[in-house]
Amino acid sequence: MKKKIKHLLLIITGLSYMISCTVNKSHEKIVIDNMLKYCVEKTKVSMASLCETDSLPRNILSNQKEWNKVCIHDWTSGFWPGVLWYAYETSGDTAILKNAEKFTELLEGVLSVPVENHDLGFMMYNSFGKGYLHTKNEDYKRNLLKAADSLATLFNPKVGTILSWPAMRDEMNWPHNTIIDNMMNLELLFWASKNGGEEKLYDIAVKHAETCMTTLIRPDYSIYHVAVFDTVDGHFINGYTHQGYSDNSTWARGQSWGIYGFTMCYRETGKPEFLSTAKNLADVFINRLPEDAIPFWDFDDPDIPNAPKDASAAAIAASGLLELSMVVKDQDLKNHYNTEAFKILAALSSNAYLSGDKNQSFLLHSTGHKPHNSEVDASIIYADYYYFEALTRAKRYLN
Ligand code: GLY
C-alpha cells in the first residue's frame, strides 16, 4: 500500500504542475484520476487502523502520524463517513461500502439528544445524505428528515436565521447569533423539502440565506464570521469574529463557506441574487490569494507571509468554485472559475500540501482555530472531505 501511494504521489506532483500552467483537458483528466486514486488508497490506510466503532477521525497535529478521534457529537463527525462515501463512489470497493455504512449508522445517536447547534447539517448530510444517494436506504432518509426538522427548530422568524451557537447567548451575551458556516447546513433543509419534509424547510433555508446576504456580508463582499441579532425586534446588532483574526478581518474559511453556501443556494432556488452574491464572494477570495493559490488562515493577519496557511479553506473554495463554474451561463465566467478551481487543486496536489506517507490524512497545513491556538498547521478531516469532493466535481466537469 505504501509503495502504491509513493508511486501515485510521483505521478500526481509531476502532473499537477502541468494543470497549473495548461488547460489541456487530457492532462487534467489523468491528474484528477490519479489524485482520486491517491485519496482512495489513503482512505484504505486510515480505514485499516480505525477499528473502534465509537469514534471518528478529526485531526492529526503537525508532530503526529495518526488520527486523533472524536465522538459522534463533535461537529466534524460527518466528514469521515463522507470521505468513505466518496471513496466508495470512486472505487466501487465493497469493503469501503461496509465501512461507510458502519460509520454513517453510528451517527444515528446524534439524533438521540436535543439539537445542540447548527452543525447538525454538517454531521447528518455528509454522512446519511451522501449515503442515501448511493443506497436509497429508507432508514437514512428517515434520519435525514428528522435531522432537518430538528435543525429547523433553531430558526428564529423574527430575525430570519437559524441560531448557530445557543451556548454563546450566555457566554458572549449574543442574544441570537448566526455564523457564515451555517450556510452549509441549509443543504439538509433543501434536501428534506424535496424528499417528503415540509415545504416550510425550503422557506426557512431561503430566508436564512437572504438575511445572511444583507448582514454577514459586508459591502465589499468580505464576510463577518458572526452576525449578532436582537431577539426583540430582530435587528442586526453587529458583526464579530470567533475564529478569525479580528472582527473586521476576512477569515479565509468563512469566505470559502460563503462561496460554497451561496452557490448551493442558487443551485437549489435559481434565485439570481444568490448567484451574484456567490460570484462577488468568489472574486474577493480569488483576488486575495497569495502566489501559491492557498490562502493564509486569515487574509488580514499582519504576520503574512509568516502566518499559517489553511488548506481546508482552499479545498472548500475549490469545490465551491467548481460548482459555480457549472451553474454560471457565461462561457468566459465558466472558464474563469474553473481555471481558478483547478489552480487551487493543483496547489493542494503538490508536494507542499499532500501528506503522502507523512501521516494518515490526504492534506497537510490546515488551520482550525488560530485564536485558540487549536489545530494550527494540522491535517483536518474536513480539508480531506472537501478535497475529495472537489476532485469528484472536477472529474464530472471534465467528462
Ligand atoms: N465552525 C466550523 C469551522 O471551523 O469552519
Side-chain angles (χ1 to χ4, degrees):
M1 191 91 77
K2 267 196 165 172
K3 240 175 149 184
K4 207 167 175 182
I5 290 171
K6 269 204 170 128
H7 178 66
L8 278 168
L9 273 181
L10 277 176
I11 303 173
I12 291 165
T13 51
L15 289 173
S16 66
Y17 172 71
M18 290 184 205
I19 61 169
S20 63
C21 353
T22 142
V23 280
N24 181 324
K25 265 200 165 188
S26 60
H27 271 139
E28 285 179 346
K29 272 189 180 168
I30 297 167
V31 180
I32 297 297
D33 278 341
N34 279 298
M35 289 169 179
L36 284 165
K37 276 187 204 147
Y38 163 81
C39 292
V40 170
E41 289 311 313
K42 291 224 63 173
T43 302
K44 286 188 195 164
V45 172
S46 290
M47 214 169 81
S49 78
L50 294 166
C51 310
E52 295 162 44
T53 51
D54 60 349
S55 56
L56 304 109
R58 168 160 177 158
N59 63 40
I60 306 174
L61 305 181
S62 52
N63 56 346
Q64 300 174 328
K65 289 187 90 69
E66 293 185 4
W67 289 111
N68 295 304
K69 286 167 256 160
V70 288
C71 78
I72 57 168
H73 298 288
D74 187 88
W75 81 271
T76 63
S77 64
F79 293 114
W80 171 242
V83 164
L84 289 165
W85 286 117
Y86 280 121
Y88 171 60
E89 178 182 320
T90 306
S91 65
D93 185 323
T94 51
I96 297 178
L97 170 64
K98 278 206 174 79
N99 269 269
E101 289 174 332
K102 182 177 81 182
F103 281 99
T104 294
E105 288 157 25
L106 181 65
L107 265 62
E108 200 162 347
V110 170
L111 298 173
S112 65
V113 296
V115 60
E116 283 171 9
N117 55 46
H118 71 106
D119 290 322
L120 196 58
F122 277 119
M123 295 150 93
M124 300 300 285
Y125 193 71
N126 298 332
S127 52
F128 287 99
K130 297 291 157 182
Y132 184 71
L133 284 177
H134 294 291
T135 62
K136 296 285 175 260
N137 181 329
E138 283 298 312
D139 284 339
Y140 290 12
K141 184 175 179 174
R142 256 191 300 281
N143 283 324
L144 287 162
L145 291 173
K146 197 170 162 191
D149 286 342
S150 201
L151 182 62
T153 62
L154 294 175
F155 182 71
N156 179 331
K158 199 152 249 167
V159 173
T161 68
I162 292 164
L163 173 64
S164 291
W165 287 324
M168 292 295 201
R169 273 191 294 229
D170 295 334
E171 246 174 73
M172 296 297 293
N173 204 14
W174 289 343
H176 178 100
N177 64 82
T178 295
I179 62 174
I180 186 63
D181 327 25
N182 202 331
M183 288 295 301
M184 303 294 284
N185 297 299
L186 304 182
E187 197 163 7
L188 172 66
L189 301 185
F190 284 125
W191 180 90
S193 72
K194 292 186 295 193
N195 286 276
E198 286 185 71
E199 216 176 294
K200 75 165 190 212
L201 298 171
Y202 175 94
D203 299 336
I204 287 174
V206 170
K207 184 69 189 162
H208 179 102
E210 285 171 350
T211 309
C212 288
M213 214 168 54
T214 55
T215 53
L216 271 169
I217 298 179
R218 305 182 185 110
D220 66 357
Y221 292 100
S222 65
I223 308 177
Y224 289 117
H225 186 193
V226 188
V228 173
F229 301 87
D230 183 70
T231 42
V232 178
D233 64 6
H235 82 272
F236 170 60
I237 299 172
N238 214 347
Y240 296 101
T241 199
H242 179 65
Q243 280 162 266
Y245 174 73
S246 69
D247 290 342
N248 292 310
S249 70
T250 301
W251 176 48
R253 197 162 57 256
Q255 199 73 22
S256 307
W257 292 140
I259 297 167
Y260 191 118
F262 279 98
T263 305
M264 176 269 294
C265 283
Y266 175 68
R267 181 229 299 152
E268 293 298 330
T269 64
K271 287 182 179 289
E273 59 272 33
F274 293 155
L275 179 61
S276 59
T277 300
K279 288 193 306 200
N280 286 323
L281 299 179
D283 293 345
V284 168
F285 188 89
I286 292 164
N287 291 339
R288 298 200 67 184
L289 282 176
E291 188 77 10
D292 76 348
I294 307 298
F296 293 95
W297 74 285
D298 188 304
F299 287 109
D300 297 303
D301 183 343
D303 283 346
I304 290 172
N306 299 315
K309 291 293 189 91
D310 185 6
S312 76
I316 297 159
S319 192
L321 289 171
L322 281 163
E323 172 147 74
L324 188 54
S325 75
M326 290 183 225
V327 296
V328 290
K329 303 275 181 299
D330 179 88
Q331 193 56 44
D332 288 344
L333 269 183
K334 257 186 200 309
N335 294 344
H336 170 61
Y337 292 126
N338 181 254
T339 303
E340 295 302 324
F342 272 82
K343 259 192 221 162
I344 295 172
L345 276 182
L348 289 173
S349 308
S350 69
N351 271 331
Y353 288 93
L354 288 180
S355 65
D357 54 12
K358 292 191 188 81
N359 72 34
Q360 293 181 325
S361 72
F362 305 158
L363 294 176
L364 304 168
H365 308 312
S366 289
T367 295
H369 198 324
K370 174 82 167 43
H372 281 186
N373 201 21
S374 161
E375 298 178 320
V376 177
D377 195 21
S379 292
I380 310 183
I381 191 69
Y382 47 82
D384 286 10
Y385 173 86
Y386 288 104
Y387 177 64
F388 213 158
E389 180 181 87
L391 293 174
T392 62
R393 286 182 172 182
K395 189 173 167 81
R396 223 173 298 143
Y397 188 94
L398 292 171
N399 282 335

